[in-house]
Amino acid sequence: MNLKRYRVNNIQEALQQIKKDLGPDAIIVSTRQVKESSGKFGLFGKTMLEVTAAKDKKSSQPASKKPAAKASPAPAANPYGIPTPPEKPKAAAPLVAPQTASSSEETRRMLLPLQEEIQELKDMIKSMERPPTENRAVVQLQQEVSEVRSMVQTLAAQTSQLRNEDFPENLVVLFQQMVFAGLEEKFAKRLIQEAQKSIPAEELNNFPYVKIFIARMMMKIVKTTKGIEKNGRKQRIVALIGPTGVGKTTTSAKIASEQVLKYKRKVALLTIDTFRIGAVEQLRAYAKIMNIPFEVVANKAELNRIAAKYSDFDVILIDTGGRSQRDEAQMYELREMLDDPGRIDNYLVLSATTKDNEISEITRKFGELPLDGVIFTKLDESTTYGCIFNHAIRFKKPVAFLTTGQKVPEDIEVASKERLVDLLLNISGH
Ligand SMILES: Nc1nc2c(ncn2[C@@H]2O[C@H](COP(=O)(O)OP(=O)(O)OP(=O)(O)O)[C@@H](O)[C@H]2O)c(=O)[nH]1
Ligand SMILES: [Mg+2]
């Protein structure tokens, strides 16, 4: 596979060069604005467009032989606008039929900071003294390279399909970029269809305009809670629920700390993780450092009693033990305690490293409880963030927080629309 990076004045210039160097099957994996730091433009530098393109060597085979080259059904009129979630998965009309969702999601999950690294990895593999099969890391890298390659092939096929449908080149480029970042193909296609209808014809060739237009559309799709807002309420009771190991306890401690230090609120920390001593002690230790009350509750009656005890507190934060969404007994227990709409807000904690289809399964199952918000953790361990938008489109749940590392309390941010869109489209150019 070939990867090339171009610094150009505009997207047309990049497309010309890419076509010349890599051919028409190349796909754009990222675009970003960069400042030239030196030269005649002095301190301020000139803003250039940096475009990274990829081309798989095998992707020039005839379209009919490509696994992904099935024509999509004619796009139905979309009377609901872009934010419409797919109600029934079966009704989905993916552009690419044969690649299974899971392998495609796996591909995305495995993506390393692609733009520079793949070539280095390949060189490294070549220069290894031991045969690659003896070295797990190398085998893993080879797998990543091959997954990226199949992604590039798939995208190349989709791209020629879009070109056949006469989409303007700028929209094709942004489609590639969004799908490469993990946005489901059919959502990306709806977005560019909508953009094509709405963007004035004279602006369709203006890449920055088109990119910002798409970014604005994304900002309308994704909702946020702005962390924990009081919204005129005397007290907020927030429970963090979700599968095991996603970061609920760590995130509870981070949120508690932020509420105390930044908002000067009175916070009590609770856990209903009663079956693991270690987990309880972990949170007790955090509470001690923050000098806030900590309680363990085992059932609804205890929860009510403790809530009454802290009725004059601004925020009661409840950590829960991780549960498998497939364990009906555990889910029942959780519903018994936390299905209390209007009184308890449940924030579902999801890791950005989890496969997209698994995130959906988890959300459907935990959605047996009222879900008031979502927290995406481990952004630092993921290289693609399309799953956040797929989730927003499918479930329409607002994002409350993002976490970006293991450090307590600093590695957390209140989710903002600008930041989320930037994660997908790299508007700020960092
Ligand atoms: N890289 C990274 N690691 C994180 C993040 N948040 C949590 N972790 C780590 O993930 C691991 C699990 O975190 P916990 O907070 O114990 O997860 P949990 O959901 O409470 O786990 P259970 O209670 O066992 O279900 C720990 O090693 C955390 O340090 C994050 O944003 N980034
Ligand atoms: Mg925990």
Side-chain angles (χ1 to χ4, degrees):
M1 191 175 61
N2 283 339
L3 266 176
K4 284 204 166 188
R5 177 173 286 179
Y6 299 84
R7 280 210 173 173
V8 286
N9 291 306
N10 54 51
I11 192 75
Q12 283 77 14
E13 213 178 283
L15 290 171
Q16 271 174 12
Q17 288 189 34
I18 291 166
K19 214 168 174 180
K20 201 164 105 225
D21 293 352
L22 300 175
D25 285 341
I27 64 141
I28 309 282
V29 296
S30 81
T31 56
R32 62 177 194 139
Q33 305 278 350
V34 288
K35 281 230 188 268
E36 297 274 72
S37 54
S38 59
K40 59 187 167 173
F41 298 100
L43 257 187
F44 299 104
K46 184 186 175 195
T47 301
M48 303 285 284
L49 185 66
E50 187 179 271
V51 179
T52 306
K55 159 87 193 283
D56 184 71
K57 288 188 184 111
K58 293 184 204 144
S59 68
S60 49
Q61 54 183 284
S64 59
K65 286 195 184 155
K66 286 177 207 162
K70 285 241 171 103
S72 66
N78 174 10
Y80 312 105
I82 291 302
T84 310
E87 293 305 338
K88 295 186 189 107
K90 275 193 187 150
L95 281 177
V96 184
Q99 192 186 27
T100 63
S102 64
S103 71
S104 139
E105 294 319 321
E106 184 67 10
T107 303
R108 291 169 196 153
R109 196 176 65 78
M110 302 292 281
L111 290 178
L112 288 173
L114 180 75
Q115 291 83 338
E116 282 159 350
E117 291 187 17
I118 298 288
Q119 200 54 47
E120 287 168 25
L121 299 179
K122 288 177 83 180
D123 294 345
M124 201 173 97
I125 292 166
K126 270 193 211 138
S127 67
M128 287 277 181
E129 281 174 16
R130 279 186 293 163
T133 44
E134 280 182 27
N135 186 319
R136 271 186 60 203
V138 173
V139 171
Q140 197 188 338
L141 291 181
Q142 283 177 323
Q143 196 185 340
E144 282 163 6
V145 170
S146 92
E147 282 169 350
V148 171
R149 172 180 290 152
S150 95
M151 177 85 178
V152 169
Q153 279 180 8
T154 305
L155 257 175
Q158 290 170 339
T159 301
S160 57
Q161 173 76 32
L162 292 177
R163 290 198 177 114
N164 289 342
E165 292 175 31
D166 278 337
F167 273 99
E169 197 57 31
N170 282 339
L171 289 175
V172 175
V173 166
L174 287 164
F175 172 89
Q176 291 175 339
Q177 194 180 337
M178 289 189 289
V179 173
F180 205 77
L183 188 70
E184 192 176 317
E185 295 91 353
K186 67 171 183 281
F187 298 151
K189 183 151 182 203
R190 277 194 223 161
L191 273 164
I192 62 167
Q193 280 171 331
E194 198 70 18
Q196 190 181 20
K197 274 192 245 152
S198 313
I199 294 175
E202 66 274 15
E203 297 290 3
L204 277 168
N205 286 329
N206 178 348
F207 185 69
Y209 183 101
V210 175
K211 190 169 178 181
I212 295 298
F213 191 93
I214 296 263
R216 293 228 169 95
M217 290 171 86
M218 299 308 266
M219 282 176 65
K220 283 191 195 143
I221 291 172
V222 73
K223 306 265 181 293
T224 55
T225 68
K226 305 196 176 71
I228 298 177
E229 292 242 293
K230 288 291 284 283
N231 286 342
R233 281 153 73 172
K234 206 172 136 280
Q235 183 183 61
R236 299 299 298 261
I237 305 181
V238 176
L240 268 53
I241 60 174
T244 48
V246 287
K248 295 176 298 301
T249 303
T250 317
T251 306
S252 303
K254 290 173 182 173
I255 295 175
S257 169
E258 189 199 40
Q259 293 292 314
V260 171
L261 297 176
K262 189 164 167 200
Y263 300 101
K264 313 287 177 218
R265 291 176 179 162
K266 270 174 89 177
V267 179
L269 204 47
L270 272 54
T271 184
I272 51 177
D273 190 349
T274 48
F275 46 95
R276 294 176 318 162
I277 306 286
V280 172
E281 290 318 310
Q282 182 191 354
L283 202 56
R284 190 191 302 281
Y286 282 129
K288 198 165 174 206
I289 297 168
M290 290 184 266
N291 201 18
I292 60 176
F294 174 74
E295 307 270 0
V296 183
V297 293
N299 53 46
K300 184 77 181 180
E302 274 183 33
L303 182 58
N304 288 339
R305 186 174 56 75
I306 298 291
K309 179 173 165 189
Y310 296 107
S311 60
D312 63 328
F313 275 51
D314 301 300
V315 177
I316 298 180
L317 211 51
I318 307 171
D319 180 32
T320 64
R323 277 144 222 267
S324 161
Q325 68 276 12
R326 296 184 185 153
D327 186 325
E328 293 296 338
Q330 287 185 350
M331 291 303 297
Y332 178 80
E333 190 192 56
L334 210 58
R335 282 203 302 274
E336 282 286 290
M337 306 264 277
L338 300 175
D339 189 351
D340 202 343
R343 179 162 175 253
I344 299 177
D345 288 336
N346 294 305
Y347 284 4
L348 177 63
V349 184
L350 296 165
S351 165
T353 62
T354 305
K355 281 190 223 160
D356 203 54
N357 53 354
E358 213 175 307
I359 286 182
S360 292
E361 189 201 333
I362 292 164
T363 308
R364 273 192 284 275
K365 213 55 205 164
F366 279 91
E368 290 173 7
L369 281 108
L371 295 183
D372 303 281
V374 194
I375 296 173
F376 277 96
T377 60
K378 308 197 186 186
L379 263 62
D380 55 309
E381 287 187 356
S382 179
T383 50
T384 56
Y385 306 102
C387 62
I388 300 176
F389 287 88
N390 293 338
H391 194 273
I393 296 170
R394 288 179 192 132
F395 298 102
K396 293 195 167 113
K397 296 294 175 196
V399 186
F401 295 96
L402 304 173
T403 79
T404 53
Q406 292 184 295
K407 290 199 286 308
V408 181
E410 55 265 54
D411 290 338
I412 187 163
E413 325 171 0
V414 168
S416 76
K417 293 180 176 211
E418 291 79 4
R419 167 84 158 119
L420 290 170
V421 171
D422 195 32
L423 284 171
L424 188 79
L425 286 172
N426 197 2
I427 304 287
S428 64
H430 296 303

